[in-house]
Amino acid sequence: MAGSVKPASMKPGERDALIVIDMQNDFCPGGALAVGEGDRIVPLINRIAGAFAHVVLTQDWHPPGHRSFASAHPGRKPFDTVEFPYGPQTLWPDHCVQGTAGAAFHAGLEVGHAELVLRKGYRTGIDSYSAFFENDRQTPTGLAGYLRERGLTRLHFVGLATDFCVQYSALDARRAGFDAIVVAEACRGIDLGGSLAQAWAAMNAAGVVRLDDAAALAA
Ligand code: VGL
Ligand code: ZN
């Protein structure tokens, strides 16, 4: 279903789920790993969520001392890249530590009807951008099975960050056989060394639909 999609076909139904990626304080301005304008998308996400019967939230949820933190690597700085057993890994400022205010969802998020909160990144040695697989690309989170068992086959992604957790989630959704739509206006990116443009190119190549008209969902 790559390419342009008629707004009428976008209206969410019983096979549609909205996946809200990592709308947490640490990814919003003032947070430890702030994404530019990360908080600006909250009202739009609330409006979009209102059109969906089925909403899933993901929550980045790291133990203290997580290996993706630059602070766990003496001599390294945030945004350096290092080799992990599973390949290159970007190092981040300490963020979304389990139980902290930074790991909490943005207070303006109005998604009380969300049916699942999927936590990820809780294994000390493995980061997890994707909502489906950890960064070793082998350890599943269980989300694909959950969605399949519930007959939720068309997934719409919003949240943070476009070029990391949103991108990895949408690409894995396609690999797992789901339809995947990213609502561009309802995401914001980190953009490290061109990563945002690369993310859109990779998503396009994988058949992820970029939806620019978020209003089409609620129409
Ligand atoms: C994220 C970097 C580290 C994200 C999470 O939500 O995109 N990025 N942890
Ligand atoms: Zn993280």
Side-chain angles (χ1 to χ4, degrees):
M1 60 177 289
S4 72
V5 177
K6 289 207 174 62
S9 70
M10 303 305 297
K11 206 175 155 120
E14 271 308 302
R15 72 178 185 99
D16 289 285
L18 180 69
I19 318 282
V20 180
I21 302 285
D22 297 0
M23 280 309 301
Q24 295 164 261
N25 292 324
D26 270 342
F27 296 123
C28 291
L33 178 41
V35 179
E37 300 187 341
D39 56 339
R40 294 265 299 271
I41 60 178
V42 169
L44 180 58
I45 291 176
N46 291 343
R47 277 204 300 285
I48 294 170
F52 282 80
H54 307 296
V55 177
V56 170
L57 312 179
T58 69
Q59 190 172 27
D60 211 36
W61 196 249
H62 300 305
H66 191 260
R67 223 72 87 221
S68 76
F69 297 169
S71 61
H73 303 263
R76 296 292 187 166
K77 314 182 294 306
F79 312 107
D80 284 354
T81 301
V82 297
E83 272 309 308
F84 272 27
Y86 54 74
Q89 168 70 47
T90 304
L91 298 180
W92 305 105
D94 289 25
H95 66 280
C96 296
V97 175
Q98 295 172 359
T100 63
F105 291 115
H106 188 282
L109 206 59
E110 292 167 4
V111 288
H113 63 303
E115 295 168 336
L116 175 73
V117 177
L118 191 279
R119 288 174 168 169
K120 60 183 180 62
Y122 45 73
R123 287 185 179 82
T124 300
I126 317 180
D127 205 359
S128 187
Y129 297 152
S130 165
F132 295 94
F133 282 96
E134 301 192 7
N135 284 14
D136 63 1
R137 317 306 301 140
Q138 286 175 12
T139 307
T141 64
L143 182 60
Y146 170 90
L147 295 168
R148 257 184 225 126
E149 196 163 347
R150 297 203 50 210
L152 298 165
T153 57
R154 188 160 66 168
L155 312 182
H156 304 250
F157 295 90
V158 297
L160 304 171
T162 319
D163 39 350
F164 288 90
C165 292
V166 173
Q167 173 193 203
Y168 278 70
S169 297
L171 291 177
D172 278 350
R174 293 294 298 144
R175 276 186 210 109
F178 296 95
D179 291 335
I181 297 145
V182 173
V183 188
E185 297 174 66
C187 300
R188 288 294 185 275
I190 295 175
D191 205 11
L192 286 181
S195 58
L196 193 52
Q198 275 170 30
W200 283 116
M203 289 193 284
N204 185 53
V208 175
V209 171
R210 172 181 170 139
L211 181 65
D212 285 301
D213 178 18
L217 289 169

